[in-house]
Amino acid sequence: MPRESVPPQTTSLNTSVDEQLRIMQASLEHLSDLVVVTDADLTPPGPRIVYVNQAVIERTGYDRERLIGASPRLFQGKDTCREALNRIGNALRRGERVREELLNYTSSGDAYWIGISIVPLFDDSGQLTHFVSTQSDITSRKRIESDLLLFRQAIDQSPSSVIITDNNGHITYVNNGFEINSGYSRDDVLGRTPGFRAWAPKSEVEKRAFWDRLDSGLPWRGEFVNRHKQGHRVVKRAVVSPVRNMEGNISHFLSVEQDITAEKEALSQLEYLAYHDPVTQMPNRRLLQQRVEALLHAPLIAPSAALLLIDLDDFKRINDAHGHGFGDRVLQKIGSRLQKQLLSESELVARLGGDEFGVLLCGRTTDAESDLIWRLEALSQQLARPLNIDGETLLLAGSIGVARIPQHGRSFVTLQRNADLALYKAKADGKGGYATFTAELNVAAQRRVRLEESLRLTILRDELSLAVQSQFGPAGDIRGAEVLVRWLRGPEGVPVSPAEFIPVAEASGLIKPLTLTVFRQALEIAAQLKAAGLRIPLSINLSSDLFRDSALIDALVDLVADSVVTPDALMLEITESLFIDTHPDLLRNMARLAELGFAFSLDDFGTGYSNLAYLKRLHLSELKIDKSFVDGLPQDEDNRAIVLSIISIARQLRLRVVAEGVETSAQADFLVAHGCELLQGYLLHKPSPAEEWLGQLMDGIEKNCRKGVDH
């Protein structure tokens, strides 16, 4: 190997090695590199420092006296690479040059990196005399390299896709995240432009806007829709930034992309759910409101434009009878039928909740105003068509409330409210039809609100009273009576008809406390009858829905238990609507009341959902012939046939028959002649206040007693 030797001595100068070192020192003191000279003693603990230049003192913080005679290991610490030190030691023992990079420490413990080159020095005889170490401070470079390595590792480990292109847009680098997210390897994409992955080509305007922004030195932010290598669609949120070189010129472009496909799908699903009903997948109230408000701002509105509210009649009973899953399928089919009636994409059918639908009819500008009636008839016919689900045929009907646009409101809220008022009227008119909003309906609605508020206070203050109407046997004796609730002081201080306030009570939920009030007062009347030794059963009307309320049934049973009368002193009147109500609590509660001794009377028999099979299941004791069949007797042949049939059925089932609405002697004679046990009507007795009715009974008892004494 080539050997380094000290310059040959000249006879004139007769320079020694030490002298040469002094000369060397003078020339090295001004170097920026660190120079350390050690002796060549390789026996432990190793070479010792014989010289350091000023750069060593300034960089390490040690003074010269501390360094001369010390081991170069003074500069090393716990993190100095042991493998590098071993390589240096091996090279020195072989007398070879060596280059390494080492981590050294200053006197204060601060770390710095050096690039060290150590050269052995030999004298003229070839004897190793010294080692000269030249060190460059590479701390800044190592820091940059460390940072670059850290950045590279961070970029490669980032879940985001990172792409670097040259200034012509060709890919020069992609990270691991790109490979994972796109399915493409580095080899697949290097040299290509990122746009090759586009799901659909960008327009020239979009491309120009993209490059104009980057060429101006500004970052571009936006979204890309790309194609995965496997072919599926991927949405990316990206930031593309220009990268400048040391001269300030754009040399590359850096693109950082995040996969937001799942986020977009979730947002799309949330948006869908925000505007659609999850059961029927139809638009919901929110989307209907947007469409209506958009129509209200349109420059031209067709004369037949309207907002409709549709409510399926008695739908609750379908859910009770068949379950909610079955009911949901009914709603889906009804919704599909309604959607087929739309004439344009501007029109809309929405499910508003429960069994209620909203329909926006935009009409056509050429439509006559009467066209709305034609469309309402068509919708009613669709609702009335037989429906087959799971092999079962259903006959439904729907009531429709109509609010004209914009005549009946210039906001969705107003239109919806007015259509709802019209719907209420359609149901009150008999269901299965339609009604259009009028100003009178608004007045009626305000009255219902006042009635509800006043009725609530009236019940709370126990200000309702009872009237009683007697039921007579063929011999003219009182054999029963019906108690009727009366509201004598309404909102204006005048009486309110039961035909008006009972529906308000049922719609508002006040029917439950009202029933308890009536029941309690009837028990008080029954107690007075018992005290007088009179056995006159009192009939009390109960709303069908109340039989499903087990808590109410418990309250009624408790009221009887706390009184002095027994359940057989009361007759509970029910209606035929119970025939289509198969709610399990209903039959269970009726059976419970029957076991306790309560008797049941079927009111208005023959006017509703008559089903003879139910007559026994409902624990009946009595049938009541509706007034509509008594009217016209005995001349009306149809009514005669119906009444005689009811009496025959009752006789076969051993049920008592009561005829309501008896107003003429001819009616009474016909009914008695054909076996009707009880008669009730104005001919015999008009309802009178309970106190008055009881007073008349007591007077009659007292007169009979006096007659007995007189005789």
Side-chain angles (χ1 to χ4, degrees):
M1 60 171 285
R3 294 169 177 261
E4 297 290 340
S5 59
V6 296
Q9 298 180 358
T10 59
T11 305
S12 60
L13 294 175
N14 192 25
T15 56
S16 64
V17 172
D18 292 338
E19 182 64 24
Q20 291 180 39
L21 289 175
R22 283 193 295 272
I23 296 171
M24 189 182 297
Q25 177 182 1
S27 61
L28 297 178
E29 283 301 316
H30 300 292
L31 289 179
S32 59
D33 285 345
L34 285 66
V35 179
V36 178
V37 181
T38 67
D39 60 26
D41 186 0
L42 295 175
T43 60
R48 300 285 180 173
I49 298 173
V50 299
Y51 169 78
V52 293
N53 69 347
Q54 185 63 28
V56 173
I57 294 170
E58 292 175 356
R59 185 66 184 89
T60 67
Y62 291 104
D63 55 33
R64 201 178 302 274
E65 290 75 14
R66 175 68 181 87
L67 295 176
I68 300 302
S71 170
R73 294 183 181 273
L74 176 68
F75 302 123
Q76 297 151 19
K78 60 183 179 64
D79 291 330
T80 303
C81 180
R82 298 303 159 189
E83 290 79 5
L85 293 176
N86 289 336
R87 290 193 294 271
I88 291 173
N90 292 335
L92 295 183
R93 283 189 286 273
R94 293 191 299 269
E96 297 174 351
R97 287 174 178 255
V98 62
R99 291 179 181 276
E100 289 288 348
E101 292 181 354
L102 289 177
L103 180 65
N104 280 355
Y105 294 85
T106 65
S107 61
S108 59
D110 296 329
Y112 65 97
W113 280 92
I114 57 169
I116 185 171
S117 175
I118 303 176
V119 179
L121 294 181
F122 298 88
D123 61 14
D124 290 341
S125 64
Q127 182 69 32
L128 180 63
T129 60
H130 295 84
F131 295 106
V132 178
S133 169
T134 304
Q135 306 169 10
S136 299
D137 191 334
I138 60 171
T139 304
S140 296
R141 178 174 67 80
K142 293 294 285 186
R143 184 178 297 115
I144 292 172
E145 289 178 355
S146 177
D147 290 345
L148 287 174
L149 178 61
L150 177 62
F151 294 152
R152 178 67 177 265
Q153 290 174 338
I155 291 172
D156 270 343
Q157 294 175 21
S158 170
S160 300
S161 298
V162 178
I163 306 169
I164 298 177
T165 69
D166 59 23
N167 58 2
N168 292 317
H170 296 100
I171 297 173
T172 61
Y173 167 82
V174 293
N175 71 338
N176 290 333
F178 173 87
E179 294 184 307
I180 295 170
N181 295 330
S182 69
Y184 292 98
S185 68
R186 288 181 175 86
D187 293 339
D188 290 334
V189 302
L190 290 179
R192 304 178 73 174
T193 60
F196 81 91
R197 305 165 296 151
W199 182 263
K202 296 283 188 182
S203 67
E204 291 301 319
V205 173
E206 290 174 315
K207 290 179 182 178
R208 189 68 266 156
F210 174 80
W211 284 111
D212 284 349
R213 185 166 181 84
L214 292 180
D215 290 341
S216 66
L218 297 173
W220 178 91
R221 291 177 172 83
E223 294 179 3
F224 293 123
V225 181
N226 291 335
R227 187 183 304 275
H228 193 275
K229 188 175 183 180
Q230 295 179 352
H232 58 268
R233 183 173 175 271
V234 182
V235 184
K236 300 281 189 176
R237 180 183 293 123
V239 178
V240 183
S241 304
V243 180
R244 297 183 183 275
N245 58 21
M246 299 298 291
E247 290 74 32
N249 299 319
I250 297 174
S251 60
H252 294 81
F253 297 100
L254 170 67
S255 176
V256 180
E257 302 174 353
Q258 293 177 315
D259 188 339
I260 58 170
T261 308
E263 176 185 332
K264 283 290 186 181
E265 290 175 352
L267 288 173
S268 176
Q269 181 66 13
L270 287 173
E271 183 176 4
Y272 181 85
L273 292 175
Y275 291 97
H276 290 81
D277 168 55
V279 173
T280 62
Q281 307 305 310
M282 297 173 63
N284 62 8
R285 186 187 306 272
R286 187 176 183 183
L287 186 53
L288 178 65
Q289 179 174 353
Q290 286 191 359
R291 290 289 186 86
V292 170
E293 290 174 346
L295 179 61
L296 287 167
H297 289 90
L300 184 63
I301 300 176
S304 56
L307 174 64
L308 316 182
L309 292 186
I310 299 176
D311 189 84
L312 301 182
D313 299 330
D314 298 315
F315 182 77
K316 179 179 65 174
R317 302 188 188 280
I318 293 177
N319 275 337
D320 292 340
H322 302 283
H324 288 278
F326 185 93
D328 289 347
R329 292 196 291 279
V330 172
L331 293 172
Q332 290 163 4
K333 286 203 171 186
I334 292 295
S336 177
R337 284 185 180 180
L338 295 175
Q339 287 177 320
K340 290 177 182 177
Q341 298 300 305
L342 303 182
L343 299 181
S344 69
E345 292 184 356
S346 301
E347 298 188 333
L348 187 74
V349 177
R351 183 188 177 216
L352 307 183
D355 59 346
E356 189 175 34
F357 295 87
V359 182
L360 170 63
L361 299 181
C362 296
R364 291 168 291 199
T365 55
T366 57
D367 287 344
E369 192 168 342
S370 60
D371 180 65
L372 178 59
I373 297 176
W374 172 81
R375 299 198 66 183
L376 291 171
E377 294 287 353
L379 286 168
S380 295
Q381 291 172 10
Q382 287 298 316
L383 293 170
R385 280 176 50 205
L387 196 65
N388 187 281
I389 296 180
D390 295 345
E392 184 159 352
T393 300
L394 301 175
L395 292 176
L396 297 176
S399 300
I400 305 175
V402 184
R404 308 291 295 274
I405 302 175
Q407 297 95 315
H408 297 154
R410 294 194 171 273
S411 72
F412 175 77
V413 172
T414 303
L415 287 166
Q416 183 185 26
R417 174 183 174 276
N418 291 340
D420 196 48
L421 293 176
L423 175 62
Y424 185 89
K425 182 178 188 302
K427 284 187 169 292
D429 288 345
K431 302 181 180 179
Y434 58 85
T436 302
F437 172 77
T438 63
E440 291 76 14
L441 293 181
N442 196 30
V443 174
Q446 293 174 1
R447 174 164 174 79
R448 284 197 302 273
V449 171
R450 291 196 304 272
L451 283 177
E452 180 182 337
E453 294 173 350
S454 182
L455 181 59
R456 193 180 305 277
L457 288 174
T458 297
I459 294 173
L460 186 63
R461 295 168 180 168
D462 197 17
E463 293 176 352
L464 292 174
S465 59
L466 295 185
V468 182
Q469 185 175 29
S470 299
Q471 297 170 342
F472 294 87
D477 55 324
I478 298 178
R479 296 168 60 178
E482 181 177 359
V483 295
L484 305 166
V485 64
R486 293 291 183 260
W487 187 9
L488 301 178
R489 293 182 59 82
E492 290 82 23
V494 297
V496 181
S497 166
E500 185 176 16
F501 74 79
I502 292 298
V504 171
E506 290 179 330
S508 63
L510 292 174
I511 192 66
K512 181 174 179 178
L514 184 150
T515 299
L516 291 173
T517 296
V518 171
F519 210 81
R520 178 180 51 77
Q521 293 187 25
L523 286 173
E524 293 173 358
I525 298 173
Q528 295 183 58
L529 292 173
K530 180 179 179 180
L534 296 174
R535 182 172 177 79
I536 302 176
L538 298 178
S539 295
I540 304 174
N541 288 282
L542 289 185
S543 173
S544 300
D545 289 340
L546 295 179
F547 279 96
R548 294 189 294 172
D549 189 337
S550 296
L552 176 74
I553 300 301
D554 290 340
L556 297 181
V557 171
D558 290 342
L559 283 174
V560 175
D562 292 339
S563 71
V564 297
V565 300
T566 54
D568 58 0
L570 303 175
M571 179 71 71
L572 305 182
E573 289 195 10
I574 60 176
T575 62
E576 286 184 293
S577 61
L578 285 172
F579 285 151
I580 62 169
D581 194 334
T582 58
H583 193 284
D585 287 345
L586 183 145
L587 295 177
R588 185 162 48 246
N589 286 328
M590 288 192 68
R592 177 187 174 196
L593 292 172
E595 289 173 1
L596 292 173
F598 289 92
F600 293 95
S601 174
L602 183 59
D603 196 12
D604 304 333
F605 180 69
T607 62
Y609 308 92
S610 298
N611 185 325
L612 299 182
Y614 271 82
L615 294 181
K616 279 298 183 183
R617 290 184 62 188
L618 294 181
H619 309 282
L620 296 176
S621 300
E622 180 180 277
L623 293 182
K624 298 190 78 172
I625 302 174
D626 187 67
K627 181 181 184 300
S628 61
F629 300 137
V630 174
D631 290 342
L633 289 179
Q635 295 84 5
D636 189 294
E637 293 184 5
D638 291 337
N639 282 6
R640 278 206 316 270
I642 292 172
V643 168
L644 292 177
S645 296
I646 294 174
I647 293 174
S648 176
I649 291 170
R651 184 177 294 118
Q652 293 295 322
L653 296 174
R654 294 188 294 277
L655 300 177
R656 186 171 60 174
V657 180
V658 181
E660 293 183 304
V662 179
E663 297 181 351
T664 68
S665 297
Q667 293 170 348
D669 292 342
F670 177 86
L671 291 165
V672 170
H674 290 87
C676 183
E677 290 97 332
L678 293 178
L679 305 180
Q680 178 179 344
Y682 279 16
L683 172 68
L684 306 167
H685 178 240
K686 293 183 179 181
S688 57
E691 296 82 359
E692 181 182 321
W693 182 78
L694 279 169
Q696 292 173 350
L697 280 179
M698 298 308 171
D699 287 345
I701 294 173
E702 186 175 344
K703 289 177 182 178
N704 288 335
C705 290
R706 288 176 179 172
K707 287 181 181 179
V709 171
D710 292 341
H711 285 83

